Amino acid sequence: MPVIITQIVPTPVGPLSLLARDGVLVAAGFTADPREMFVRLPPALRDLAMAEGDLADAAQAVRDYLDGKLDALDRIPVEQSGTPTRQRLYEALRAVPAGTTVSYGLLAERAGLPRTAARAAGSACAQNLIAPFVPCHRVLPSSGGYGGYYYGTHVKEWLLAHESPAPPKT
């Protein structure tokens, strides 16, 4: 019987809970309690048992990312439910490279939608269950500022600062 395996990885901005089924991440978020992520999963996944375990590849990717290998999270397979449009938005999000940001309108365009679908892009970010592997923190409002982030603006700011290219040495 399939089960949701959980592991908590420490980060400088707090614990990161990872949840996977059959080696594929189905949720990740900055919380010390994996149940907070589990209750947000689709009903079919919530019907599965949840158990602590070793998600070695995903946990190592997080450690590598924290050590400066900013593309390490990209190698981990992820899966979350959603309409075909939502899936295109999540694919476009995963394609935004570390160290760069996009606006909600540009994210919509990259997903094959009109720029005016910025609200749909914002909704996809707000409902993203696999942060930071699906990097919704890299999307900023075109009006400026950081916008919202499910785990708090301080986490979004930290992630963006961590991914920023180092200033040139003089």
Side-chain angles (χ1 to χ4, degrees):
M1 167 120 181
V3 65
I4 302 291
I5 302 296
T6 68
Q7 182 175 352
I8 301 170
V9 180
T11 78
V13 286
L16 178 64
S17 287
L18 308 175
L19 289 76
R21 182 188 68 183
D22 298 327
V24 177
L25 275 187
V26 295
F30 290 93
T31 175
D33 186 355
R35 290 173 298 208
E36 289 181 24
M37 300 304 304
F38 186 80
V39 299
R40 295 178 64 203
L41 291 172
L45 292 177
R46 288 195 314 263
D47 287 343
L48 301 176
M50 188 172 72
E52 290 181 23
D54 183 8
L55 299 174
D57 290 342
Q60 186 59 51
V62 172
R63 289 188 287 274
D64 290 346
Y65 169 81
L66 295 172
D67 286 342
K69 297 177 186 127
L70 300 179
D71 61 351
L73 303 179
D74 300 344
R75 72 175 187 258
I76 302 302
V78 301
E79 181 180 296
Q80 58 186 318
S81 64
T83 65
T85 297
R86 178 67 52 90
Q87 293 301 320
R88 288 198 322 266
L89 285 161
Y90 289 146
E91 287 173 25
L93 264 174
R94 278 208 102 184
V96 177
T100 66
T101 60
V102 296
S103 68
Y104 293 100
L106 183 55
L107 178 64
E109 276 187 349
R110 289 182 177 184
L113 303 169
R115 187 175 278 266
T116 55
R119 186 162 279 177
S123 177
C125 289
Q127 294 178 24
N128 173 28
L129 291 180
I130 314 177
F133 295 82
V134 177
C136 54
H137 64 276
R138 296 179 189 152
V139 184
L140 300 174
S142 57
S143 58
Y146 287 99
Y149 191 63
Y150 188 86
Y151 304 101
T153 307
H154 70 286
V155 175
K156 185 173 189 171
E157 289 179 34
W158 188 91
L159 291 167
L160 291 172
H162 174 67
E163 294 178 358
S164 291
K169 295 182 179 176
T170 56

